[in-house]
mmCIF file of all heavy atoms in Angstrom:
data_model
loop_
_atom_site.group_PDB
_atom_site.id
_atom_site.type_symbol
_atom_site.label_atom_id
_atom_site.label_comp_id
_atom_site.label_asym_id
_atom_site.label_seq_id
_atom_site.Cartn_x
_atom_site.Cartn_y
_atom_site.Cartn_z
ATOM 1 N N ASP A 113 -8.033 -10.011 -70.696
ATOM 2 C CA ASP A 113 -6.838 -10.248 -71.486
ATOM 3 C C ASP A 113 -5.618 -9.719 -70.737
ATOM 4 O O ASP A 113 -5.721 -9.287 -69.587
ATOM 5 C CB ASP A 113 -6.960 -9.604 -72.870
ATOM 6 C CG ASP A 113 -7.061 -8.081 -72.795
ATOM 7 O OD1 ASP A 113 -7.154 -7.549 -71.674
ATOM 8 O OD2 ASP A 113 -7.054 -7.439 -73.857
ATOM 9 N N ASN A 119 -6.470 -11.386 -76.195
ATOM 10 C CA ASN A 119 -6.558 -12.829 -75.940
ATOM 11 C C ASN A 119 -7.190 -13.030 -74.560
ATOM 12 O O ASN A 119 -6.512 -13.201 -73.552
ATOM 13 C CB ASN A 119 -5.169 -13.475 -75.996
ATOM 14 C CG ASN A 119 -4.603 -13.502 -77.397
ATOM 15 O OD1 ASN A 119 -5.323 -13.725 -78.365
ATOM 16 N ND2 ASN A 119 -3.315 -13.254 -77.521
ATOM 17 N N LEU A 177 -14.080 -26.447 -61.128
ATOM 18 C CA LEU A 177 -13.868 -25.175 -60.442
ATOM 19 C C LEU A 177 -13.017 -25.316 -59.191
ATOM 20 O O LEU A 177 -12.266 -24.407 -58.833
ATOM 21 C CB LEU A 177 -15.220 -24.559 -60.075
ATOM 22 C CG LEU A 177 -16.049 -24.006 -61.239
ATOM 23 C CD1 LEU A 177 -17.403 -23.533 -60.741
ATOM 24 C CD2 LEU A 177 -15.311 -22.874 -61.935
ATOM 25 N N ARG A 230 -25.222 -34.312 -87.186
ATOM 26 C CA ARG A 230 -26.045 -34.172 -88.381
ATOM 27 C C ARG A 230 -26.522 -32.724 -88.481
ATOM 28 O O ARG A 230 -26.560 -32.004 -87.487
ATOM 29 C CB ARG A 230 -27.250 -35.117 -88.344
ATOM 30 C CG ARG A 230 -28.218 -34.871 -87.190
ATOM 31 C CD ARG A 230 -29.383 -35.852 -87.218
ATOM 32 N NE ARG A 230 -30.316 -35.623 -86.112
ATOM 33 C CZ ARG A 230 -30.163 -36.123 -84.900
ATOM 34 N NH1 ARG A 230 -29.116 -36.902 -84.628
ATOM 35 N NH2 ARG A 230 -31.056 -35.875 -83.956
ATOM 36 N N ALA A 334 -39.596 4.975 -68.120
ATOM 37 C CA ALA A 334 -38.428 4.085 -68.028
ATOM 38 C C ALA A 334 -38.759 2.712 -68.607
ATOM 39 O O ALA A 334 -39.897 2.246 -68.547
ATOM 40 C CB ALA A 334 -37.986 3.946 -66.572
#
Side-chain angles (χ1 to χ4, degrees):
D113 64 354
N119 290 322
L177 289 175
R230 62 180 180 275

